[in-house]
């Protein structure tokens, strides 16, 4: 093995190895720089794209493909690799490959045992694969549509596809230019320009550009020294053997000096210097504080309100950790529903949180508005909302908080609402000065088909407030969200995928406190892997936002136990709960239940009761183009996948032949001829001579293809005989001519086999029909 490695290194040459390492260093830093500032990417994705793109560009430059062929191959290969990685299609591809191998095995046995090959698994997997590819393409198209329309909405999958493909083009171009034209500056210029513009726009870490610049300078030194020596040798000029080392040492020294200077420039900021001077000259608090301190006045803090208490950052239900049965038995609420209200599964909402801070949840101070009895907080009722009247009695320690099913409308007492934005009706919570009150609220009456058709045209305030995540969210959580939802066709389907994924985690309140300085969602998803409602709900909100879905955390109580004799719900402290609401255009906030062990929410068509207010409800199911019957895709998908696999195999075989030694090429071509003879049901024995096998093959195809294939088979057979039994070597020119002949002949022999196989299948079916 060591001998093979040493031989390969000597064949590549020191210059090629050094250039490759420097070029990869520059490209990897471009990829990592993009990954550091672009949401939707992750290190594994960008490094994979970089390495594959580098190898592809290097090969394209080596084989000197025609412009159009190179462009088509680059685009096709890039789209395929990006879709494969971003869409998590590897499992489907592996299953398809296994099904194709099984089908090939069945076909080889069919000629002997006569069981008819079963192509259904190949067709079904191909159909599923094609459907997921279409989902990815449609997500990218819809995202581009929102960008063009001027109302952009973030989609991590579409963003990952776009930036990964741009990175692919940059890497492929760079490797191709260096390998083909030995021009590192022109090769790296697009990547440097893109990375520099993005880092300047977002204020990213400029150290990535420093590393790219340093690698570029060193690469220019190495390439310049090599080109100078080649020019001197071509012109027959004498030069000292040690001049190369002198040039390299001088170039490396200058490159390091320039790179060091460049690394220092981003850290020198006039603004920072000015701020530092101002802080030294001015005491904390500014002029007003200094004046008040000089006359002995001390500002007193205002007493906290109930809203201030509810805004304390952290996990809203952290008191549930280690809670015993005595807490579970305490009655918190008694809720009586008006008899005219529909029999639904209610969540008694108290507060909503929009700001994830890594260690829990917080909310910004809002606008507190006072309302009189009967005064409505909102004036419009949508056709998909049902008005519900409840009488609530608070028996626990939560006095002063308004609990209501869905969106609060009014109460029969004076009450206060804390709005994050009154204009947007963005509700944080409400308080009331009584322990028993009647409340009216709105609950959504929607089914899955409605939500699948809702789309993603979110208002600006929703995008700004409920899609944001802190910079410190670990990358593996963002990657998990993208991978889970990559092939989910609609926002509702993406939310359900995340919800179902989290529901697999076991529920428990017997937990240690979360570690300090550790993101709690990351801790729950990858370390703890169990928890209570706060963990589930927090994880779903973070994953949903990472997947481009506006979501918020809601706290309150679950439904409780319904007493049919009194038509009341008894809600205990054991029902204290956190859940998730995801925003859907035209429907508002919709509840999701990610907590394991809690009954999931059923939104099927049969669970929706009749509406009792003036709104109308349509029961016409929405037939999604992604959930409808896809049987019509079976045959086209199978054909498309088969053609793609065949073309990929032919390209790989062509590259393998061009890399091989001349003698190995002739051997492989002859084995290919023997393989075609076997497929055409000809006898190929070890005792047969090459001429005998060639003659049988010629006789079989003579009536089909004629003289041209006969001449080519004879020419390739003579070359094989020469290679095996003659002392004359096979040179590179003969190798290339043999490859050209074989590529034409190979394609014709495959077509002949396909036609004969089709005739046999038709004949076999006719015989079975006759029986």
């Amino acid at each position: 093995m060591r001998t093979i490695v040493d031989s390969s290194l000597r064949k590549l040459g020191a210059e090629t190895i050094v250039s490759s390492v420097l070029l990869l260093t520059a490209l990897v830093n471009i990829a990592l720089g993009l990954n550091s500032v672009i949401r939707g990417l992750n290190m594994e994705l960008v490094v994979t794209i970089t390495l594959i793109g580098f190898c592809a560009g290097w090969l394209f430059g080596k084989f000197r493909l025609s412009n159009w062929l190179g462009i088509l191959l680059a685009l096709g290969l890039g789209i395929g690799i990006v879709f494969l990685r971003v869409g998590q299609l590897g499992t489907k591809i592996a299953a398809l490959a296994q099904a194709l191998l099984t089908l090939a095995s069945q076909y080889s046995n069919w000629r002997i045992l006569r069981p008819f090959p079963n192509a259904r698994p190949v067709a079904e997997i191909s159909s599923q694969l094609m459907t997921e590819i279409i989902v990815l393409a449609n997500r990218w198209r819809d995202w581009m549509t929102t960008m063009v329309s001027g109302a952009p909405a973030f989609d991590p999958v579409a963003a990952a596809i776009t930036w990964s493909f741009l990175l692919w083009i940059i890497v492929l171009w760079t490797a191709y230019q260096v390998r083909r034209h030995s021009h590192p500056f022109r090769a790296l210029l697009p990547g440097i320009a893109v990375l520099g513009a993005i880092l300047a726009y977002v204020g990213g870490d400029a150290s990535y550009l420093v590393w790219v610049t340093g690698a570029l300078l060193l690469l220019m030194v190495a390439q310049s020294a090599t080109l100078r020596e080649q020019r001197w040798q071509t012109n027959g000029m004498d030069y000292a053997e040690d001049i190369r080392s002198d040039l390299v040492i001088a170039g490396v020294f200058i490159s390091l000096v320039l790179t060091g200077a460049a690394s220092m420039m981003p850290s020198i900021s006039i603004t920072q210097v000015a701020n530092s001077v101002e802080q030294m000259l001015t005491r904390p608090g500014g002029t007003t504080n200094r004046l008040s301190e000089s006359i002995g006045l001390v500002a007193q803090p205002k007493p906290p309100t109930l809203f201030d208490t509810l805004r304390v950052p952290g996990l809203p239900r952290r008191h549930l950790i280690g809670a015993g049965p005595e807490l579970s038995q305490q009655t918190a609420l008694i809720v009586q529903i008006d008899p005219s209200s529909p029999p639904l599964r209610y969540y008694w909402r108290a507060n909503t949180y929009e700001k994830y801070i890594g260690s829990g949840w917080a909310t910004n101070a809002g606008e507190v508005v006072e309302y009189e009895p009967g005064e409505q907080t909102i004036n419009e009722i949508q056709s998909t909302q049902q008005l519900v009247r409840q009488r609530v009695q608070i028996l626990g320690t939560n006095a002063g908080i308004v609990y209501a099913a869905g969106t609060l409308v009014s109460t029969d007492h004076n009450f206060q609402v804390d709005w994050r934005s009154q204009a947007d009706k963005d509700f944080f919570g409400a308080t009331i000065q009584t322990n028993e009150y009647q409340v009216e609220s709105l609950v959504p009456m929607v089914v899955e088909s409605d939500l699948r058709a809702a789309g993603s045209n979110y208002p600006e305030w929703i995008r700004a407030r409920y899609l944001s995540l802190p910079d410190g969210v670990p990358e593996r959580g963002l990657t998990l969200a993208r991978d889970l939802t990559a092939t989910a066709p609609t926002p509702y389907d993406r939310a359900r995928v995340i919800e179902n994924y989290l529901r697999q985690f076991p529920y428990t309140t017997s937990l240690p406190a979360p570690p300090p300085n550790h993101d709690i969602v990351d801790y729950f998803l990858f370390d703890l892997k169990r928890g209570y409602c706060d963990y589930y709900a927090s994880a779903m909100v973070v994953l949903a936002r990472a997947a481009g879905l506006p979501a918020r955390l809601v706290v309150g109580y679950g439904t409780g136990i319904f007493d049919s004799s009194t038509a009341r719900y008894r809600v205990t402290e054991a029902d204290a709960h956190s859940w998730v609401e995801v925003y859907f255009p035209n429907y508002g906030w919709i509840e999701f239940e990610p907590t394991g062990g809690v009954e999931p929410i059923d939104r099927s068509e049969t669970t929706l009761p009749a509406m009792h207010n003036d709104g109308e409800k349509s029961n016409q199911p929405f037939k999604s183009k992604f959930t409808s019957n896809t049987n019509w895709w079976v045959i086209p998908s199978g054909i498309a996948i088969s053609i793609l696999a065949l073309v990929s195999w032919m390209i790989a075989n062509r590259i393998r032949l061009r890399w091989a030694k001349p003698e190995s090429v002739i051997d492989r071509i002859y084995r290919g001829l023997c393989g075609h003879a076997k497929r055409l049901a000809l006898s190929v024995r070890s005792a047969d001579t090459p001429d005998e096998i060639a003659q049988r093959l010629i006789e079989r195809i003579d009536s089909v293809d004629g003289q041209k294939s006969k001449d080519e088979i004879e020419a390739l057979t003579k070359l094989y005989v020469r290679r095996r039994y003659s002392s004359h070597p096979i040179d590179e020119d003969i190798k290339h001519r043999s490859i050209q002949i074989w590529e034409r002949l190979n394609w014709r022999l495959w077509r002949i086999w396909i036609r004969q196989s089709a005739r046999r299948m038709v004949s076999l079916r006719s015989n079975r029909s006759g029986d």
Side-chain angles (χ1 to χ4, degrees):
M1 182 66 182
R2 183 175 181 181
T3 304
I4 297 175
V5 173
D6 293 340
S7 176
S8 301
L9 292 177
R10 284 195 300 270
K11 184 177 179 180
L12 287 174
E15 295 85 356
T16 302
I17 295 174
V18 170
S19 298
S20 300
V21 171
L22 291 173
L23 189 58
L24 266 177
T25 300
L27 291 174
V28 167
N29 275 278
I30 290 175
L32 295 179
L34 294 176
N35 177 64
S36 68
V37 295
I38 295 175
R39 182 176 163 190
L41 298 179
N42 66 293
M43 184 179 298
E44 180 188 356
L45 174 62
V46 298
V47 171
T48 301
I49 294 294
T50 301
L51 294 178
I52 298 177
F54 174 81
C55 295
W58 201 265
L59 288 175
F60 286 0
K62 176 179 176 60
F63 290 118
R64 299 180 178 271
L65 300 174
S66 63
N67 291 337
W68 283 111
L69 178 60
I71 291 173
L72 290 176
L73 284 177
L75 293 177
L77 187 61
I79 292 172
I81 290 174
V82 169
F83 270 45
L84 172 66
R85 180 58 190 85
V86 176
Q88 297 293 292
L89 304 179
T91 304
K92 286 285 192 307
I93 296 292
L96 179 61
Q98 182 64 39
L100 287 171
L101 289 175
T102 302
L103 181 62
S105 176
Q106 292 175 355
Y107 178 79
S108 63
N109 295 329
W110 170 55
R111 294 179 298 172
I112 302 173
L113 303 177
R114 295 294 175 181
F116 197 75
N118 180 18
R120 180 175 294 276
V122 174
E124 290 178 350
I125 297 174
S126 300
S127 176
Q128 296 171 9
L129 183 61
M130 187 63 68
T131 300
E132 294 187 359
I133 291 173
I134 291 173
V135 169
L136 291 170
N138 283 339
R139 288 188 67 170
W140 185 83
R141 179 204 62 194
D142 295 341
W143 180 71
M144 288 300 297
T145 301
T146 63
M147 299 288 287
V148 173
S149 64
F154 177 71
D155 185 331
V157 172
I161 290 174
T162 302
W163 288 107
S164 296
F165 189 72
L166 177 61
L167 178 62
W168 168 267
I169 296 298
I170 290 173
V171 173
L172 197 74
W173 162 267
T174 304
Y176 174 82
Q177 285 292 325
V178 172
R179 181 66 181 84
R180 182 78 176 265
H181 301 292
S182 299
H183 204 308
F185 180 77
R186 184 171 62 190
L188 280 168
L189 183 59
I192 293 174
V194 170
L195 179 62
I198 293 174
L199 292 179
Y201 181 77
V202 301
D205 184 2
S207 63
Y208 295 104
L209 273 177
V210 174
W211 283 101
V212 175
T213 304
L216 172 60
L217 292 174
L218 294 173
L219 187 59
M220 291 174 65
V221 169
Q223 291 282 342
S224 175
T226 301
L227 291 176
R228 285 176 183 273
E229 285 189 3
Q230 291 176 354
R231 187 163 60 249
W232 292 337
Q233 292 173 0
T234 301
N235 296 331
M237 297 175 60
D238 294 330
Y239 60 92
E241 293 294 334
D242 58 352
I243 191 172
R244 180 181 183 86
S245 59
D246 294 340
L247 286 173
V248 170
I249 293 173
V252 168
F253 175 75
I254 295 173
S255 300
L256 292 176
V257 170
L258 293 176
T259 304
S263 65
M264 294 177 61
M265 291 304 294
S267 63
I268 301 175
S269 170
I270 300 300
T271 303
Q272 292 178 359
V273 173
N275 291 337
S276 300
V277 173
E278 183 178 358
Q279 291 175 3
M280 287 188 295
L281 297 178
T282 306
R283 293 177 58 190
T287 305
T288 303
N289 282 347
R290 292 204 307 271
L291 179 60
S292 62
E293 291 173 3
S294 65
I295 60 176
L297 298 179
V298 179
Q300 298 296 314
K302 296 181 179 179
T305 65
L306 181 56
F307 288 128
D308 295 330
T309 304
L310 296 173
R311 290 194 192 98
V312 174
L315 293 175
R317 297 301 184 188
R318 54 186 174 271
H319 66 279
L320 294 178
I321 297 179
E326 67 282 354
L327 177 62
S328 302
Q329 299 303 319
Q330 295 178 7
T331 301
L333 305 174
I334 298 294
V335 183
Q336 185 172 12
I337 299 293
D338 188 275
S340 62
S341 299
L344 296 174
R345 175 180 174 180
Y346 295 105
Y347 285 85
W348 315 113
R349 180 199 291 173
N351 306 103
T352 67
Y353 293 89
E354 89 288 0
K355 193 173 183 180
Y356 179 68
I357 57 175
S359 59
W361 292 89
T363 189
N364 295 322
E367 179 182 359
V368 178
V369 179
E370 297 188 0
Y371 292 88
E372 296 181 354
E375 186 178 359
Q376 295 184 349
T377 61
I378 56 177
N379 298 320
E380 296 181 0
I381 300 178
Q382 298 180 5
S383 61
T384 55
Q385 292 177 321
Q386 170 67 52
L387 186 66
V388 178
R389 295 181 178 87
Q390 311 127 72
R391 177 160 291 279
V392 181
Q393 182 181 4
I394 300 177
L395 301 177
T397 60
N398 298 313
I401 299 176
V402 176
Y403 293 92
T407 303
L408 173 64
V409 176
S410 66
T411 73
D412 60 348
H413 289 73
N414 293 322
F415 65 104
Q416 294 179 321
V417 175
D418 189 345
W419 301 103
R420 294 187 186 89
S421 169
Q422 186 180 11
D424 301 325
K425 297 301 179 183
D426 191 1
F427 175 90
F428 165 61
T431 60
I432 195 168
Q433 300 299 320
T434 180
N435 288 338
E436 187 171 354
Y437 52 87
Q438 180 172 304
V439 60
E440 291 184 340
S441 60
L442 296 172
V443 295
M445 303 286 285
V446 292
V447 292
E448 289 184 332
S449 56
D450 299 321
L451 300 178
R452 284 196 172 98
S456 57
N457 186 22
Y458 307 119
E460 179 60 34
W461 66 273
I462 288 289
R463 290 200 297 267
R465 199 169 297 153
Y466 292 101
L467 284 174
S468 63
L469 288 171
D471 295 335
V473 173
E475 183 181 276
R476 57 182 178 175
L478 305 179
T479 302
L480 174 64
R482 189 195 67 210
D483 292 345
L484 284 175
T485 62
T487 55
T490 68
Y492 175 74
D493 291 311
R494 291 163 212 161
R496 284 302 304 272
V497 167
I498 297 172
E499 180 186 47
N500 292 334
Y501 175 79
L502 294 173
R503 290 183 60 83
Q504 302 176 70
F505 289 51
Y507 179 91
T508 180
T509 57
S510 300
L511 298 170
N517 303 321
H518 198 313
D519 186 275
I520 61 165
V521 168
D522 184 83
Y523 173 62
F524 169 67
L525 289 174
F526 301 102
D527 300 321
L528 195 61
K529 296 183 179 179
R530 68 188 191 279
Y532 64 100
C533 57
D534 273 359
Y535 282 111
Y536 290 93
S538 299
M540 182 168 179
V541 174
V542 170
L543 293 177
R545 292 186 181 184
L549 306 174
R552 66 184 183 184
L553 182 133
V554 188
V555 298
Y557 286 93
T559 307
I561 302 173
F562 182 70
D563 185 350
S564 58
S565 62
T566 59
R568 297 189 304 178
Y569 291 91
R570 178 176 175 268
V571 184
T572 68
E573 289 296 340
D575 298 308
H577 197 41
S578 298
W579 62 95
V580 176
E581 290 181 346
V582 178
Y583 186 88
F584 291 87
N586 301 321
Y587 298 103
W589 294 103
I590 303 299
E591 298 151 344
F592 283 82
E593 184 53 83
T595 301
V598 180
E599 183 181 357
I601 299 173
D602 185 5
R603 292 196 179 91
S604 60
E605 302 283 345
T606 58
T607 60
L608 187 64
M611 300 280 285
H612 293 283
N613 43 291
D614 295 335
E616 296 181 358
K617 178 67 185 170
S618 172
N619 289 318
Q620 293 296 326
F622 169 74
K623 291 187 177 181
S624 171
K625 56 187 175 183
F626 302 107
T627 58
S628 60
N629 193 334
T630 57
N631 289 337
W632 69 278
W633 279 106
V634 171
I635 295 177
S637 300
I639 295 174
I641 296 297
S642 300
I643 292 175
L644 180 61
L646 178 61
V647 171
S648 300
W649 176 82
M650 292 178 66
I651 292 174
N653 190 53
R654 181 180 181 183
I655 293 174
R656 188 171 65 250
L657 285 176
R658 292 180 180 273
W659 269 90
K661 295 180 179 179
E663 294 80 5
S664 178
V665 168
I666 300 302
D667 289 343
R668 290 180 181 179
I669 290 175
Y670 178 73
R671 288 197 297 269
L673 284 174
C674 293
H676 278 296
K678 292 178 181 179
R679 277 187 286 272
L680 294 173
L682 296 175
S683 174
V684 178
R685 299 183 298 269
S686 59
D688 294 334
T689 66
D691 290 331
E692 289 173 343
I693 296 173
Q695 188 60 37
R696 293 192 198 112
L697 186 56
I698 290 170
E699 290 173 357
R700 172 58 61 89
I701 69 173
D702 184 55
S703 60
V704 180
D705 198 62
Q707 186 66 32
K708 191 171 185 180
S709 294
K710 174 184 176 182
D711 296 340
E712 291 174 343
I713 292 173
E714 289 178 346
L716 293 174
T717 304
K718 288 179 181 178
L719 284 173
Y720 177 71
V721 172
R722 172 182 169 181
R723 179 260 180 280
R724 291 295 302 272
Y725 307 109
S726 173
S727 59
H728 297 288
I730 305 295
D731 58 24
E732 288 290 333
D733 290 338
I734 295 177
K735 165 189 165 181
H736 291 301
R737 287 201 301 271
S738 301
I739 292 174
Q740 293 174 356
I741 294 173
W742 172 242
E743 287 175 348
R744 295 193 300 268
L745 176 62
N746 187 36
W747 180 244
R748 286 201 297 272
L749 292 175
W750 275 112
R751 285 187 298 177
I752 292 171
W753 173 77
I754 291 172
R755 287 199 296 266
Q756 293 189 4
S757 299
R759 291 194 191 101
R760 282 200 299 270
M761 293 176 67
V762 172
S763 176
L764 180 61
R765 289 189 176 183
S766 300
N767 293 336
R768 289 184 176 179
S769 299
D771 294 340

